Amino acid sequence: MAPSSQEGHVQEMMKFIEKRGSPFSAECPTELHNFVTMQVMTSVIRNDVLNVSEKGKNKYQAFHSERIIKKSVKLRDTIHRGNLKTMASIKDKPKRTVQKVIAAMNMTDKSIEVARDRGLGTDDLLTYDVVPSPLLFGDDGLMTKPEKSQLVRELEETLKPDDYYYRHKDDSAFLIDVMAAIRRVPLSGLTSFSDLLSKFAETTSLYHHHGRCDYIFDIYHDDPSVKDTERLRRCRATPVVLSSIELSTPIPKDMPTFWPSSQNKLLLETLVYAFLRDRSMEMHKEPTVLSQLCIDSGKWKCIKIHNGTEYNMQHLQS
C-alpha cells in the first residue's frame, strides 16, 4: 500500500535530518536559526518572523482606520510594503550587473598592474581604454540604468514605524511633481484636458489647506540631457505630436503615443502653469509657488502667488 501524502512528507523529513543532522543536536545553535545553513537569526529577523501575524493585523487595522473610518488617506493611495525581515535579508545575491562590473574592475586592476610592471607611466596608460567595456554605458549603447530602488531599500532600512506617519507643522511646505501627479490621474470618464486639470486640482486641493505648495515642472529643451537615455528606454510607441493643447482639446484615445513626445509634455505643462496661476489667484489662501517652466523662456518665470499678488522668485530659477 502506497504511503499517504503526510507519511511521505514525514519520510522526506527523516531522510533530510539523517543527511543534514538533527536541529536539536548539541552541534546546532540553541537560538532560532536556519535549519539548512545553521545561520543564527538576528534579533530584528527573529522579531519580524515571530510577530508576523500581529504585524499583519496591525497593518490591516491601520488601513481600515485611515482609509475607511477616518478617511485621512485616500483609498486609491499606494499601499507601502511592510518590508519584514527574513533569513533571505541577511545575504542578498549580487545582481548580474553587479557581478559584471566587479569582473570588469578586476580585469582593469590586472591590466594596470601589468602596464606598470612594464614601465608604462600613468599618464601614458590612461590615454588608452583600461576597461573591456565602458562602465557608464550598457550593451545597447544607452547609459546604464541607476539602481534607484536599491537606494530606496537602503534608506528604508534606517526608518522606524513612526517615520511612516506624517506630522503636520504650521510652517509645512509641500513639493508637488506636476507631471508625476498628472500621470497618476485616472483617465476613465475624462473627455478633455479641462477635465484632466480639474481632476488634478482635486488631488492636490487638500495640501493647499495646510501650507505652501511648490509645483515643480520638468524641463524639456533641445539640449542633450542625462534623462534622454531613460526617456528612450521607456519609449515603446511612436509618439504622435500635437500642434497645440487647450482646455477644450480632447484627450487622445491612445495616451501611450502622447507621453513619449517632449513637445506634447511641454504644451501640457504650459496649460497646467496657466491653469494653476489663475486658480491660485482666486482659490488658494496659502502661498503657491510655480517653478519656471522652461529655461530659455522669459515668459514662464518662477513665481509665488499669495493673497492675489504675484512675486518674482528669481533666486529659485535655474
Side-chain angles (χ1 to χ4, degrees), residues 118-177:
R118 294 181 178 180
L120 189 63
T122 303
D123 293 341
D124 296 330
L125 172 63
L126 295 181
T127 59
Y128 304 95
D129 292 333
V130 295
V131 292
S133 59
L135 300 179
L136 296 179
F137 297 89
D139 298 333
D140 54 2
L142 301 177
M143 292 182 63
T144 54
K145 189 173 183 179
E147 296 289 344
K148 292 184 288 186
S149 59
Q150 182 178 353
L151 174 61
V152 171
R153 287 195 296 270
E154 292 179 2
L155 294 175
E156 287 180 341
E157 290 179 356
T158 64
L159 295 178
K160 301 177 182 178
D162 291 342
D163 294 331
Y164 288 94
Y165 294 95
Y166 170 70
R167 296 176 180 84
H168 180 72
K169 297 181 180 179
D170 294 335
D171 57 349
S172 294
F174 304 92
L175 299 179
I176 300 174
D177 186 333

Coordinates of all heavy atoms in Angstrom, one line a residue, residues 118-177:
R118 N 55.6 46.9 -16.7 CA 56.4 47.1 -17.9 C 56.9 48.5 -18.0 O 57.5 48.9 -19.1 CB 55.6 46.7 -19.1 CG 55.2 45.2 -19.1 CD 54.4 44.9 -20.3 NE 54.1 43.4 -20.3 CZ 53.3 42.8 -21.3 NH1 52.9 43.6 -22.3 NH2 53.1 41.5 -21.2
G119 N 56.8 49.3 -17.0 CA 57.3 50.7 -17.0 C 56.5 51.7 -17.7 O 57.0 52.8 -17.9
L120 N 55.2 51.5 -17.9 CA 54.4 52.5 -18.6 C 53.8 53.4 -17.5 O 53.2 53.0 -16.5 CB 53.2 51.8 -19.3 CG 52.3 52.7 -20.2 CD1 53.2 53.2 -21.3 CD2 51.2 51.9 -20.8
G121 N 54.0 54.7 -17.7 CA 53.5 55.7 -16.8 C 52.0 55.8 -16.8 O 51.3 55.4 -17.7
T122 N 51.5 56.4 -15.7 CA 50.0 56.5 -15.5 C 49.4 57.4 -16.6 O 48.4 57.1 -17.2 CB 49.7 57.1 -14.1 OG1 50.2 56.3 -13.1 CG2 48.2 57.2 -14.0
D123 N 50.1 58.5 -16.9 CA 49.6 59.4 -18.0 C 49.5 58.7 -19.3 O 48.5 58.9 -20.0 CB 50.5 60.7 -18.1 CG 50.5 61.5 -16.8 OD1 49.5 61.4 -16.1 OD2 51.4 62.3 -16.6
D124 N 50.5 57.9 -19.6 CA 50.5 57.2 -20.9 C 49.5 56.1 -20.9 O 48.8 55.8 -21.9 CB 51.9 56.6 -21.2 CG 52.9 57.7 -21.4 OD1 52.6 58.8 -21.9 OD2 54.1 57.4 -21.1
L125 N 49.3 55.5 -19.7 CA 48.4 54.4 -19.6 C 46.9 54.8 -19.8 O 46.2 54.2 -20.5 CB 48.5 53.7 -18.2 CG 47.5 52.6 -17.8 CD1 47.6 51.5 -18.8 CD2 47.7 52.2 -16.4
L126 N 46.6 56.0 -19.2 CA 45.2 56.4 -19.2 C 44.8 57.0 -20.6 O 43.7 57.5 -20.7 CB 45.0 57.4 -18.1 CG 45.1 56.8 -16.7 CD1 44.8 57.9 -15.6 CD2 44.2 55.6 -16.5
T127 N 45.8 57.1 -21.5 CA 45.4 57.5 -22.9 C 44.7 56.4 -23.6 O 44.2 56.6 -24.7 CB 46.6 58.0 -23.7 OG1 47.5 56.9 -23.7 CG2 47.3 59.2 -23.0
Y128 N 44.7 55.2 -23.1 CA 44.0 54.0 -23.7 C 42.8 53.6 -22.8 O 42.7 53.9 -21.6 CB 45.0 52.9 -23.9 CG 46.2 53.2 -24.7 CD1 47.4 53.6 -24.0 CD2 46.2 53.2 -26.0 CE1 48.6 54.0 -24.7 CE2 47.4 53.5 -26.8 CZ 48.5 53.9 -26.1 OH 49.6 54.2 -26.8
D129 N 42.0 52.7 -23.4 CA 40.9 52.1 -22.6 C 41.5 51.1 -21.7 O 42.2 50.1 -22.1 CB 39.9 51.5 -23.5 CG 39.1 52.5 -24.3 OD1 39.0 53.6 -23.9 OD2 38.6 52.2 -25.5
V130 N 41.2 51.2 -20.4 CA 41.8 50.2 -19.4 C 40.7 49.3 -19.0 O 40.9 48.4 -18.1 CB 42.4 51.0 -18.2 CG1 43.6 51.8 -18.6 CG2 41.4 51.9 -17.6
V131 N 39.4 49.4 -19.5 CA 38.4 48.5 -19.1 C 37.8 47.9 -20.4 O 37.9 48.5 -21.5 CB 37.2 49.2 -18.4 CG1 37.6 49.7 -17.0 CG2 36.7 50.4 -19.2
P132 N 37.4 46.6 -20.4 CA 36.9 46.0 -21.6 C 35.7 46.6 -22.2 O 35.4 46.5 -23.4 CB 36.6 44.5 -21.1 CG 36.4 44.6 -19.6 CD 37.3 45.7 -19.2
S133 N 34.9 47.2 -21.3 CA 33.6 47.9 -21.8 C 33.4 49.1 -20.9 O 33.7 49.0 -19.7 CB 32.4 46.9 -21.8 OG 32.2 46.4 -20.5
P134 N 32.8 50.1 -21.4 CA 32.5 51.3 -20.6 C 31.5 51.0 -19.5 O 30.5 50.4 -19.7 CB 31.9 52.3 -21.6 CG 31.4 51.5 -22.7 CD 32.3 50.3 -22.8
L135 N 31.9 51.5 -18.3 CA 31.0 51.2 -17.1 C 29.8 52.1 -17.1 O 28.8 51.7 -16.4 CB 31.8 51.4 -15.8 CG 33.1 50.6 -15.6 CD1 33.7 50.9 -14.3 CD2 32.7 49.1 -15.7
L136 N 29.8 53.2 -17.8 CA 28.6 54.1 -17.8 C 27.6 53.8 -18.9 O 26.6 54.4 -18.9 CB 29.1 55.6 -17.9 CG 30.0 56.1 -16.8 CD1 30.4 57.5 -17.1 CD2 29.3 56.0 -15.5
F137 N 27.9 52.8 -19.8 CA 27.0 52.5 -20.9 C 26.8 51.0 -21.0 O 27.7 50.2 -20.7 CB 27.6 53.0 -22.2 CG 27.7 54.5 -22.2 CD1 28.9 55.2 -21.8 CD2 26.7 55.3 -22.7 CE1 29.0 56.5 -21.9 CE2 26.8 56.7 -22.7 CZ 27.9 57.3 -22.3
G138 N 25.6 50.6 -21.3 CA 25.3 49.2 -21.5 C 25.5 48.7 -22.9 O 26.0 49.4 -23.7
D139 N 25.2 47.4 -23.1 CA 25.4 46.8 -24.4 C 24.5 47.4 -25.5 O 24.9 47.3 -26.7 CB 25.1 45.3 -24.3 CG 26.0 44.6 -23.3 OD1 27.2 45.1 -23.1 OD2 25.6 43.6 -22.7
D140 N 23.4 48.1 -25.1 CA 22.6 48.7 -26.1 C 23.0 50.1 -26.4 O 22.3 50.8 -27.2 CB 21.1 48.7 -25.5 CG 21.0 49.4 -24.2 OD1 22.1 49.9 -23.6 OD2 19.9 49.5 -23.6
G141 N 24.1 50.6 -25.9 CA 24.6 51.9 -26.2 C 24.0 53.0 -25.3 O 24.5 54.1 -25.4
L142 N 23.1 52.7 -24.5 CA 22.4 53.6 -23.6 C 23.2 53.7 -22.3 O 23.9 52.8 -21.9 CB 21.0 53.3 -23.4 CG 20.1 53.2 -24.6 CD1 18.7 52.8 -24.3 CD2 20.1 54.6 -25.4
M143 N 23.0 54.8 -21.6 CA 23.6 54.9 -20.2 C 23.0 53.9 -19.3 O 21.8 53.6 -19.4 CB 23.4 56.3 -19.7 CG 24.1 57.4 -20.4 SD 23.9 59.1 -19.7 CE 24.6 58.8 -18.0
T144 N 23.8 53.4 -18.4 CA 23.4 52.3 -17.5 C 22.3 52.9 -16.6 O 22.3 54.1 -16.2 CB 24.5 51.8 -16.6 OG1 25.2 52.9 -16.0 CG2 25.5 51.1 -17.5
K145 N 21.3 52.1 -16.3 CA 20.2 52.5 -15.5 C 20.6 52.6 -14.0 O 21.1 51.7 -13.5 CB 19.0 51.5 -15.7 CG 17.7 52.0 -15.1 CD 16.6 51.0 -15.4 CE 15.3 51.5 -14.9 NZ 14.1 50.6 -15.2
P146 N 20.3 53.7 -13.4 CA 20.6 53.9 -12.0 C 19.8 53.0 -11.1 O 18.6 52.8 -11.4 CB 20.4 55.4 -11.7 CG 19.4 55.8 -12.7 CD 19.7 55.0 -14.0
E147 N 20.4 52.4 -10.1 CA 19.7 51.5 -9.2 C 19.0 52.3 -8.1 O 19.4 52.3 -6.9 CB 20.6 50.5 -8.6 CG 21.2 49.5 -9.6 CD 20.2 48.5 -10.2 OE1 19.1 48.4 -9.6 OE2 20.5 47.9 -11.2
K148 N 18.0 53.1 -8.5 CA 17.3 53.9 -7.5 C 16.5 53.1 -6.5 O 16.4 53.4 -5.3 CB 16.3 54.9 -8.2 CG 17.0 55.9 -9.0 CD 16.0 56.9 -9.7 CE 15.2 56.2 -10.8 NZ 14.4 57.2 -11.5
S149 N 16.0 51.9 -6.9 CA 15.3 51.1 -6.0 C 16.2 50.5 -4.9 O 15.8 50.4 -3.7 CB 14.6 49.9 -6.7 OG 15.6 49.1 -7.4
Q150 N 17.5 50.2 -5.2 CA 18.4 49.8 -4.2 C 18.7 50.9 -3.2 O 18.8 50.6 -2.0 CB 19.7 49.3 -4.9 CG 20.7 48.8 -3.9 CD 22.0 48.3 -4.6 OE1 22.0 48.3 -5.8 NE2 23.0 48.0 -3.8
L151 N 18.8 52.1 -3.7 CA 19.0 53.3 -2.7 C 17.8 53.4 -1.8 O 17.9 53.6 -0.6 CB 19.2 54.5 -3.5 CG 19.3 55.8 -2.7 CD1 20.4 55.8 -1.8 CD2 19.4 57.0 -3.7
V152 N 16.6 53.2 -2.4 CA 15.4 53.4 -1.5 C 15.3 52.3 -0.5 O 15.0 52.5 0.7 CB 14.1 53.3 -2.4 CG1 12.8 53.2 -1.6 CG2 14.0 54.5 -3.3
R153 N 15.7 51.0 -0.8 CA 15.8 49.9 0.1 C 16.8 50.2 1.3 O 16.5 50.0 2.4 CB 16.1 48.6 -0.6 CG 15.0 48.1 -1.4 CD 15.3 46.6 -1.7 NE 16.5 46.5 -2.6 CZ 16.5 46.5 -3.9 NH1 15.3 46.7 -4.5 NH2 17.6 46.3 -4.6
E154 N 17.9 50.8 0.9 CA 18.9 51.1 1.9 C 18.4 52.2 2.9 O 18.6 52.2 4.1 CB 20.2 51.6 1.3 CG 20.9 50.5 0.5 CD 22.2 51.0 -0.2 OE1 22.5 52.2 0.0 OE2 22.8 50.2 -0.8
L155 N 17.6 53.2 2.3 CA 17.1 54.2 3.2 C 16.0 53.7 4.0 O 15.8 54.1 5.2 CB 16.5 55.4 2.3 CG 17.5 56.2 1.5 CD1 16.9 57.2 0.6 CD2 18.5 56.9 2.4
E156 N 15.2 52.8 3.5 CA 14.1 52.2 4.3 C 14.6 51.4 5.5 O 13.9 51.2 6.5 CB 13.2 51.3 3.4 CG 12.3 52.1 2.4 CD 11.4 51.2 1.6 OE1 11.8 50.0 1.4 OE2 10.4 51.7 1.0
E157 N 15.8 50.8 5.3 CA 16.3 50.0 6.4 C 16.6 50.8 7.7 O 16.6 50.3 8.8 CB 17.6 49.3 6.0 CG 17.4 48.2 5.0 CD 18.7 47.6 4.5 OE1 19.8 48.1 5.0 OE2 18.6 46.6 3.8
T158 N 16.7 52.2 7.5 CA 17.0 53.0 8.7 C 15.7 53.6 9.2 O 15.8 54.3 10.3 CB 18.0 54.2 8.3 OG1 17.3 55.0 7.3 CG2 19.3 53.6 7.7
L159 N 14.6 53.4 8.6 CA 13.3 54.0 9.0 C 12.7 53.2 10.2 O 12.9 52.0 10.3 CB 12.3 54.1 7.9 CG 12.7 55.0 6.7 CD1 11.6 54.9 5.6 CD2 12.9 56.4 7.1
K160 N 12.0 53.9 11.0 CA 11.3 53.3 12.1 C 9.8 53.4 11.8 O 9.4 54.2 10.9 CB 11.6 54.0 13.4 CG 13.1 54.0 13.8 CD 13.3 54.8 15.1 CE 14.8 54.8 15.4 NZ 15.1 55.6 16.6
P161 N 8.9 52.6 12.4 CA 7.5 52.7 12.1 C 6.9 54.1 12.2 O 6.1 54.5 11.4 CB 6.9 51.7 13.2 CG 8.0 50.8 13.5 CD 9.3 51.5 13.4
D162 N 7.4 54.9 13.2 CA 6.9 56.2 13.4 C 7.2 57.1 12.2 O 6.6 58.2 12.0 CB 7.4 56.9 14.7 CG 6.8 56.2 15.9 OD1 5.8 55.5 15.7 OD2 7.4 56.3 17.0
D163 N 8.3 56.8 11.5 CA 8.7 57.6 10.3 C 7.7 57.6 9.2 O 7.8 58.5 8.3 CB 10.1 57.2 9.8 CG 11.2 57.4 10.9 OD1 11.0 58.4 11.7 OD2 12.2 56.7 10.9
Y164 N 6.9 56.6 9.1 CA 5.9 56.5 8.0 C 4.7 57.4 8.3 O 3.8 57.4 7.4 CB 5.5 55.0 7.8 CG 6.6 54.2 7.2 CD1 7.4 53.5 8.0 CD2 6.7 54.1 5.9 CE1 8.4 52.7 7.5 CE2 7.7 53.3 5.3 CZ 8.6 52.6 6.1 OH 9.6 51.8 5.6
Y165 N 4.6 58.0 9.4 CA 3.4 58.8 9.7 C 3.7 60.3 9.6 O 4.8 60.7 10.1 CB 2.9 58.5 11.1 CG 2.3 57.1 11.3 CD1 3.1 56.1 11.8 CD2 1.0 56.8 10.9 CE1 2.6 54.8 11.9 CE2 0.5 55.5 11.1 CZ 1.3 54.5 11.5 OH 0.8 53.3 11.6
Y166 N 2.9 61.0 8.9 CA 3.1 62.4 8.7 C 2.7 63.3 9.9 O 1.6 63.1 10.4 CB 2.4 62.9 7.4 CG 2.3 64.4 7.2 CD1 3.5 65.1 6.9 CD2 1.2 65.1 7.5 CE1 3.5 66.4 6.7 CE2 1.2 66.5 7.3 CZ 2.4 67.2 6.9 OH 2.4 68.5 6.8
R167 N 3.6 64.2 10.3 CA 3.3 65.1 11.4 C 3.2 66.5 10.9 O 4.3 67.0 10.5 CB 4.3 64.9 12.5 CG 4.3 63.6 13.2 CD 5.5 63.5 14.2 NE 5.5 62.2 14.8 CZ 6.1 61.1 14.3 NH1 6.7 61.2 13.2 NH2 6.1 60.0 15.0
H168 N 2.1 67.1 10.8 CA 1.9 68.4 10.2 C 2.5 69.5 11.2 O 2.3 69.4 12.4 CB 0.5 68.6 9.9 CG 0.2 70.0 9.3 ND1 0.6 70.3 8.0 CD2 -0.3 71.1 9.8 CE1 0.3 71.5 7.7 NE2 -0.2 72.1 8.8
K169 N 3.1 70.5 10.6 CA 3.6 71.6 11.3 C 3.0 72.9 10.6 O 2.7 72.9 9.4 CB 5.1 71.7 11.3 CG 5.8 70.5 12.0 CD 7.3 70.6 12.1 CE 7.9 69.4 12.8 NZ 9.4 69.5 12.8
D170 N 3.0 73.9 11.4 CA 2.4 75.2 10.8 C 3.1 75.7 9.6 O 2.6 76.4 8.8 CB 2.3 76.2 11.9 CG 1.3 75.8 13.0 OD1 0.4 75.0 12.7 OD2 1.4 76.3 14.2
D171 N 4.5 75.5 9.6 CA 5.3 76.1 8.5 C 5.6 75.0 7.5 O 6.6 75.1 6.8 CB 6.6 76.7 9.1 CG 7.4 75.6 9.9 OD1 6.8 74.6 10.2 OD2 8.5 75.9 10.2
S172 N 4.7 74.0 7.4 CA 5.0 72.9 6.4 C 4.8 73.5 5.0 O 4.0 74.4 4.7 CB 4.0 71.8 6.6 OG 4.2 71.2 7.9
A173 N 5.6 72.9 4.1 CA 5.5 73.2 2.7 C 5.5 71.8 1.9 O 6.1 70.8 2.3 CB 6.7 74.0 2.2
F174 N 4.7 71.8 0.8 CA 4.5 70.6 0.1 C 5.1 70.8 -1.3 O 4.9 71.8 -2.0 CB 3.0 70.3 -0.1 CG 2.4 70.2 1.3 CD1 1.7 71.2 1.9 CD2 2.3 69.0 2.0 CE1 1.1 71.1 3.1 CE2 1.7 68.8 3.2 CZ 1.1 69.9 3.8
L175 N 5.9 69.8 -1.8 CA 6.5 69.8 -3.1 C 5.7 68.9 -4.0 O 5.5 67.7 -3.6 CB 8.0 69.4 -3.1 CG 8.9 70.2 -2.3 CD1 10.3 69.7 -2.3 CD2 8.9 71.7 -2.8
I176 N 5.2 69.3 -5.1 CA 4.3 68.6 -6.0 C 5.0 68.4 -7.3 O 5.2 69.4 -8.0 CB 2.9 69.2 -6.1 CG1 2.3 69.3 -4.7 CG2 2.1 68.4 -7.1 CD1 1.0 70.1 -4.7
D177 N 5.3 67.2 -7.7 CA 5.9 66.9 -9.0 C 4.7 66.9 -10.0 O 3.9 66.0 -10.0 CB 6.6 65.6 -9.0 CG 7.3 65.3 -10.3 OD1 6.9 65.8 -11.4 OD2 8.3 64.5 -10.3

